[in-house]
Amino acid sequence: REGPATTGEKGKITVRILDLAVPLANHLWQSTLFAAVAGLLTLLLRRNHAQVRYWLWLAASLKFLLPFSLLVALGSQLPRSYVPAIAQSQVSVVAEVISQPFTTASPSHAPAPAPSTSLVPAIVFALWFSGCAAVLFLWWLRWRRMTTVLRCASPTKTGRELEILRRVEQSSGVAQQIELVTSDSTLEPGIVGIFRPVMLLPAGIASRLSDAELQAIITHELCHVRRRDNLAAALHMLVEAIFWFHPLLWWIGARLVQERERACDEEVLRLGSEPQAYAEGILKVCEFYLESPLVCVAGVTGSNLKKRIFQRKWTA
């Protein structure tokens, strides 16, 4: 038989578990609700620029890193002199009910837990850590592949590719000069790195593309640099690793890549590239080269290529 002290200890353990589980459940609920609202907005803005939808999906992703309690604390600092006190209380009650559907039961009314209750946090943490470690390990393997390709690549100091790159940098307003390297791998053209980006081109690509096609492909990659897409993709990968168990985040990741590539397509055409040459250049890249294994290494063939080409009506 268990004495009062043992039962009291188990009650404290249960309260501690709830103290951790309830805020996490509320945070997941709030972030999921925020993502649902963002998704509805993207539907309403489906005829708008892809850049707008991209920022909505990115905000939905980063919300998982930002607890709602912090937003509430920031909102409490705003002036409320123009809002009636009754309205303030009503709004706060409604917001609390919607944003925090899960509550902690009172310790005095907590049911007596089973003897194995204390193992639950350890088991849950072990499952979460295993999933997080597996995701990070998979991405590390892919990043190792990219760094191996980059180490074996050769810097390009002269040539047609470099001339086009420097010309496009000036016309598109890229402040920094991007280092150009060529590799014997079969990977597609891409931007590697976040703070010191490097443009990786497969060797021999210039012989397969015309000047207009190569310029359009390079312009696409420089759009990724200007938009800092690799940084945004890395942040979303962090969110996916932490909340790997939430299927919505993996779906958001696909939407981010889709809208990212469409936004770059719109920018390439806005900067004056020929639609026909751009479409043919992408198709040739798909024919001869493989897609980048990491979303934080921005390439040119991501997302639904057929849909990208026919939606924008690049071809005659």
Side-chain angles (χ1 to χ4, degrees), residues 3-309:
T6 305
T7 304
E9 288 297 326
K10 290 180 179 178
K12 291 179 181 179
I13 292 174
T14 302
V15 172
R16 285 198 295 267
I17 294 173
L18 290 175
D19 287 343
L20 294 175
V22 170
L24 177 60
N26 283 326
H27 174 63
L28 291 175
W29 162 254
Q30 296 155 11
S31 300
T32 302
L33 187 62
F34 187 91
V37 173
L40 290 176
L41 290 176
T42 59
L43 289 177
L44 295 175
L45 299 172
R46 59 184 178 275
R47 297 187 182 278
N48 210 306
H49 293 295
Q51 176 70 5
V52 177
R53 298 188 297 274
Y54 172 82
W55 282 114
L56 284 171
W57 286 125
L58 184 60
S61 170
L62 297 181
K63 170 62 186 71
F64 280 83
L65 297 178
L66 189 63
F68 190 73
S69 57
L70 178 59
L71 297 179
V72 172
L74 292 176
S76 64
Q77 303 301 318
L78 298 177
R80 303 183 181 182
S81 55
Y82 298 102
V83 182
I86 298 178
Q88 291 181 21
S89 61
Q90 291 176 346
V91 170
S92 62
V93 169
V94 172
E96 185 175 357
V97 171
I98 295 176
S99 63
Q100 297 185 15
F102 307 102
T103 57
T104 305
S106 174
S108 59
H109 297 90
S116 59
T117 303
S118 59
L119 296 178
V120 173
I123 294 174
V124 172
F125 178 79
L127 290 174
W128 170 82
F129 183 81
S130 299
C132 183
V135 172
L136 292 175
F137 181 70
L138 177 62
W139 286 336
W140 176 78
L141 290 177
R142 295 180 180 180
W143 178 251
R144 185 180 178 184
R145 177 187 172 191
M146 287 302 308
T147 54
T148 301
V149 170
L150 196 60
R151 281 198 302 268
C152 298
S154 304
T156 300
K157 301 300 182 183
T158 58
R160 178 164 148 254
E161 304 98 314
L162 186 63
E163 293 175 0
I164 293 177
L165 173 60
R166 295 293 176 249
R167 184 166 67 246
V168 174
E169 283 176 346
Q170 294 179 358
S171 61
S172 60
V174 177
Q176 62 184 124
Q177 282 197 346
I178 307 300
E179 182 182 359
L180 178 64
V181 298
T182 56
S183 168
D184 293 329
S185 70
T186 56
L187 290 177
E188 66 172 337
I191 296 294
V192 185
I194 296 176
F195 302 107
R196 297 181 61 185
V198 175
M199 181 175 293
L200 177 67
L201 293 181
I205 189 174
S207 62
R208 293 190 168 107
L209 303 180
S210 66
D211 283 353
E213 293 168 351
L214 184 58
Q215 178 171 328
I217 297 299
I218 290 178
T219 303
H220 181 103
E221 298 306 322
L222 288 181
C223 287
H224 286 306
V225 175
R226 291 178 56 197
R227 292 159 40 86
R228 298 192 178 277
D229 284 335
N230 284 359
L231 175 60
L235 289 174
H236 181 72
M237 289 170 68
L238 174 63
V239 177
E240 286 181 333
I242 296 174
F243 301 97
W244 57 267
F245 51 86
H246 202 316
L248 180 61
L249 280 171
W250 301 94
W251 187 79
I252 290 176
R255 302 286 76 73
L256 280 171
V257 173
Q258 182 182 39
E259 300 301 347
R260 178 185 78 181
E261 297 306 319
R262 289 181 182 177
C264 286
D265 294 340
E266 293 173 354
E267 185 69 9
V268 170
L269 299 181
R270 187 188 68 82
L271 291 173
S273 295
E274 300 176 9
Q276 185 77 20
Y278 185 32
E280 291 178 356
I282 293 180
L283 292 175
K284 288 180 181 179
V285 170
C286 291
E287 181 181 358
F288 295 107
Y289 305 106
L290 300 175
E291 187 177 351
S292 170
L294 281 171
V295 295
C296 64
V297 178
V300 72
T301 63
S303 186
N304 189 325
L305 185 59
K306 182 178 179 180
K307 189 174 182 180
R308 285 168 58 193
I309 291 178

